[in-house]
Amino acid sequence: MRTRNALIRAAASEFDTAGYDGTSLSRISGAAGMSIGAVTFHFPSKTELADAVQEEGRAVTEEALNSRSAENLPALRMVVDLTLELARLMDEEPAVRAAIRLSRERPGTGSWSDVWLPTVRELLDRAYETGQLRENALPADVTTLVEYLTSGAEAYMRSRIGTEAEFESAVAQLKRVWHLALAGVSADGSPCAAPLPAPRGTRDG
Amino acid sequence: MRTRNALIRAAASEFDTAGYDGTSLSRISGAAGMSIGAVTFHFPSKTELADAVQEEGRAVTEEALNSRSAENLPALRMVVDLTLELARLMDEEPAVRAAIRLSRERPGTGSWSDVWLPTVRELLDRAYETGQLRENALPADVTTLVEYLTSGAEAYMRSRIGTEAEFESAVAQLKRVWHLALAGVSADGSPCAAPLPAPRGTRDG
């Protein structure tokens, strides 16, 4: 069990950095300091190791969210907290970063967002019912916004990899973005100030 | 020249779908219906082909943005339009999709967002000076929000790949999200309604 966990840790770090196609079992065995034989004893193929890493990333995420969900706060505030917790996991947990990357590179293997998106949607339904959301801010749309913000946090986290400079954490940056999303950026608070056009060449209304 | 362009097109499609590590010159030669010798005559290595695809994706993006920038609209509205145009390019242009993916997978090769982010920042500075942005919505922060929304649009576009169902376009979805970001989601329009916490284990204020 200890060997298995060490292997999953080493594999998470490799998959996070090099992606699924850029990672080989021999590279993982090197990173873990184990023979290929020891690796394949636990995981016969890269596929099975990637599955295990994604499972681990989802489990870490679920655990972190469960430990917070007992707090008794307004639903909208809980959504904000939840996404900040996701950003913290991105900053600190290689298994979570690897799970996000692998579920993007291996379509059909279960999305990382499946772990938390249903909770976000429930909380936003409750926030809407209790008047915490604007009347025009429908829970389904705000759920999409939350997905966008989480994608942005991940892209930011990835863009810093390999850079030497000191940057703000994904958590701090997401917090800045949330302030804008909660209050809106437009001076008159109305989307009508900038009526949204249909870009040329599309028919999206 | 015609062969070179056909090769870049075939390579863009492969890189978009399989990523840098998942794509080989032989795969590209197969997709282009050319011999490996013909491929390496134009591009001696995968690296050079990836560089050319990223260059093409940036050029397509730049051209699309330039063709719109002549329109005389309020600066904030121009930012919205510009991001919707980016979403349209994601939906329709394999070279743009490949450029986004490759610049993520090949750090240090020039980011796709370098093409449009400076324009967004200039427009937002102007929007702030002319009172189109809320006083607390600083241009630097709103620029970050725009990056997040663009990342979200890309993630959405990627999540649909390989699915059979009919989905709304990236443009239509981004428009829904912009409506929320412009007006805000919080009922009382104030971020103070949900004071943003420092998640446990971090010191980000």
Side-chain angles (χ1 to χ4, degrees):
Chain A
M1 198 61 194
R2 207 182 301 166
T3 314
R4 199 173 181 278
N5 290 343
L7 258 172
I8 291 176
R9 256 199 314 282
S13 173
E14 293 299 314
F15 283 129
D16 170 36
T17 314
Y20 185 75
D21 285 318
T23 299
S24 63
L25 279 186
S26 77
R27 196 169 151 155
I28 293 168
S29 85
M34 291 177 206
S35 69
I36 282 276
V39 174
T40 53
F41 174 79
H42 291 280
F43 298 98
S45 72
K46 187 166 80 165
T47 308
E48 274 144 306
L49 202 35
D51 287 343
V53 166
Q54 283 173 256
E55 192 44 58
E56 170 72 8
R58 283 192 289 259
V60 168
T61 305
E62 216 155 347
E63 200 178 326
L65 297 187
N66 287 341
S67 77
R68 298 197 67 120
S69 65
E71 297 167 21
N72 196 8
L73 293 165
L76 180 54
R77 161 73 186 272
M78 284 181 77
V79 169
V80 174
D81 280 17
L82 187 153
T83 62
L84 294 175
E85 181 72 17
L86 295 177
R88 185 187 69 77
L89 292 170
M90 287 176 196
D91 269 338
E92 297 176 8
E93 295 286 349
V96 171
R97 287 201 295 271
I100 298 172
R101 179 164 190 171
L102 287 172
S103 69
R104 180 169 52 228
E105 294 180 356
R106 306 173 73 218
T109 56
S111 166
W112 173 68
S113 59
D114 290 349
V115 175
W116 50 268
L117 210 48
T119 307
V120 165
R121 179 55 198 266
E122 273 170 42
L123 287 167
L124 288 171
D125 282 337
R126 207 196 307 163
Y128 193 75
E129 284 156 19
T130 54
Q132 294 164 53
L133 292 177
R134 266 196 319 111
E135 198 168 346
N136 290 333
L138 301 178
D141 292 343
V142 182
T143 303
T144 304
L145 172 68
V146 169
E147 284 190 88
Y148 274 50
L149 298 189
T150 311
S151 296
E154 194 223 339
Y156 172 65
M157 177 274 290
R158 294 236 165 260
S159 73
R160 286 175 308 159
I161 289 172
T163 56
E164 299 280 330
E166 277 266 326
F167 285 100
E168 68 180 336
S169 69
V171 177
Q173 183 170 95
L174 181 56
K175 213 180 289 183
R176 280 200 291 126
V177 171
W178 259 121
H179 274 290
L180 296 173
L182 288 168
V185 303
S186 172
D188 58 8
S190 154
C192 306
L196 300 182
R200 286 175 316 187
T202 75
R203 290 187 187 191
D204 303 299
Chain B
M1 198 61 195
R2 206 182 303 165
T3 314
R4 200 175 180 277
N5 289 345
L7 259 174
I8 291 176
R9 254 200 315 281
S13 172
E14 293 298 315
F15 283 130
D16 170 36
T17 314
Y20 185 75
D21 286 318
T23 300
S24 62
L25 280 186
S26 78
R27 196 167 151 156
I28 293 168
S29 84
M34 291 177 206
S35 69
I36 282 277
V39 175
T40 54
F41 174 80
H42 290 280
F43 298 99
S45 70
K46 187 167 82 166
T47 308
E48 274 145 305
L49 201 35
D51 287 344
V53 167
Q54 283 173 257
E55 191 45 58
E56 171 71 9
R58 281 192 291 260
V60 169
T61 305
E62 217 155 346
E63 200 178 324
L65 297 187
N66 287 341
S67 77
R68 299 198 66 120
S69 65
E71 295 167 20
N72 194 10
L73 293 166
L76 181 54
R77 161 72 186 271
M78 284 181 77
V79 170
V80 173
D81 280 16
L82 187 153
T83 61
L84 294 175
E85 182 71 17
L86 295 177
R88 185 188 68 78
L89 292 170
M90 287 176 198
D91 268 338
E92 297 176 7
E93 295 286 349
V96 171
R97 286 201 295 271
I100 299 172
R101 179 165 188 170
L102 288 172
S103 69
R104 179 170 55 229
E105 294 180 357
R106 305 173 73 218
T109 56
S111 166
W112 173 69
S113 59
D114 290 351
V115 175
W116 50 269
L117 210 48
T119 307
V120 165
R121 179 55 197 265
E122 272 169 42
L123 288 167
L124 288 171
D125 281 337
R126 207 197 305 163
Y128 192 75
E129 284 156 18
T130 53
Q132 295 165 52
L133 292 177
R134 266 197 317 114
E135 197 169 346
N136 291 332
L138 301 177
D141 291 342
V142 182
T143 304
T144 305
L145 172 68
V146 169
E147 284 190 87
Y148 274 50
L149 298 190
T150 311
S151 296
E154 193 223 342
Y156 172 65
M157 176 274 289
R158 295 235 166 258
S159 73
R160 286 174 308 161
I161 290 173
T163 56
E164 298 281 330
E166 276 266 328
F167 285 100
E168 69 180 334
S169 70
V171 177
Q173 184 171 94
L174 181 56
K175 213 180 290 183
R176 280 200 292 126
V177 171
W178 259 121
H179 274 291
L180 295 174
L182 288 168
V185 301
S186 171
D188 59 5
S190 154
C192 305
L196 300 183
R200 286 175 315 184
T202 76
R203 290 187 189 193
D204 303 297

